[in-house]
Amino acid sequence: VTLEWLRKCRDAGRLLDVEAYALPCLAGVRVAITGVAYQTVSAQQAVQTTLRAHGATVCRDIDRTVTHLLADGTPTAKLQAVQAGGELAAILVVSDVWLQTCIVRRRWVSEAGFAP
């Protein structure tokens, strides 16, 4: 929930419904995108729009600030860099099924089982 919810609850002297104050399901998530499925401009724009609409930050390149790599399994340079380990080893590689699951459930879900 947001800080505004906490303030409103304090002012009201009771707990209020959280629905109107819920954070987007991907708040705090920083996503880079890679794969053949995302090569066209329209496909890139569609997934970027979806990610942003649900609170994610879309990153063009991968670095240590990226939390997730949305991939379709195609062996791209970005995917191989993450899989090689090193400073990028903490990046979680997920498929679009993870993204859709988060959206449908309206919350972040564990990345386990959502590798491309």
Side-chain angles (χ1 to χ4, degrees):
V1 294
T2 64
L3 287 176
E4 182 182 3
W5 177 80
L6 293 171
R7 289 184 193 109
K8 298 258 183 183
C9 289
R10 179 195 64 207
D11 294 346
R14 63 183 176 84
L15 293 177
L16 300 173
D17 181 39
V18 298
E19 189 68 29
Y21 302 97
L23 291 171
C25 63
L26 299 176
V29 173
R30 294 180 51 83
V31 184
I33 303 164
T34 192
V36 173
Y38 310 110
Q39 282 186 335
T40 67
V41 172
S42 61
Q44 286 176 14
Q45 289 175 339
V47 75
Q48 288 174 1
T49 298
T50 299
L51 287 162
R52 288 183 181 118
H54 295 282
T57 299
V58 178
C59 306
R60 180 176 174 87
D61 300 310
I62 57 171
D63 59 29
R64 294 179 322 173
T65 68
V66 171
T67 60
H68 294 75
L69 180 63
L70 182 64
D72 65 2
T74 304
T76 64
K78 287 180 183 177
L79 181 58
Q80 291 171 343
V82 171
Q83 291 173 333
E87 70 175 19
L88 302 178
I91 296 174
L92 301 165
V93 180
V94 294
S95 69
D96 62 341
V97 176
W98 175 79
L99 172 60
Q100 295 306 319
T101 302
C102 290
I103 292 168
V104 168
R105 294 184 185 176
R106 297 175 52 192
R107 64 178 179 83
W108 167 88
V109 297
S110 171
E111 295 83 357
F114 288 101

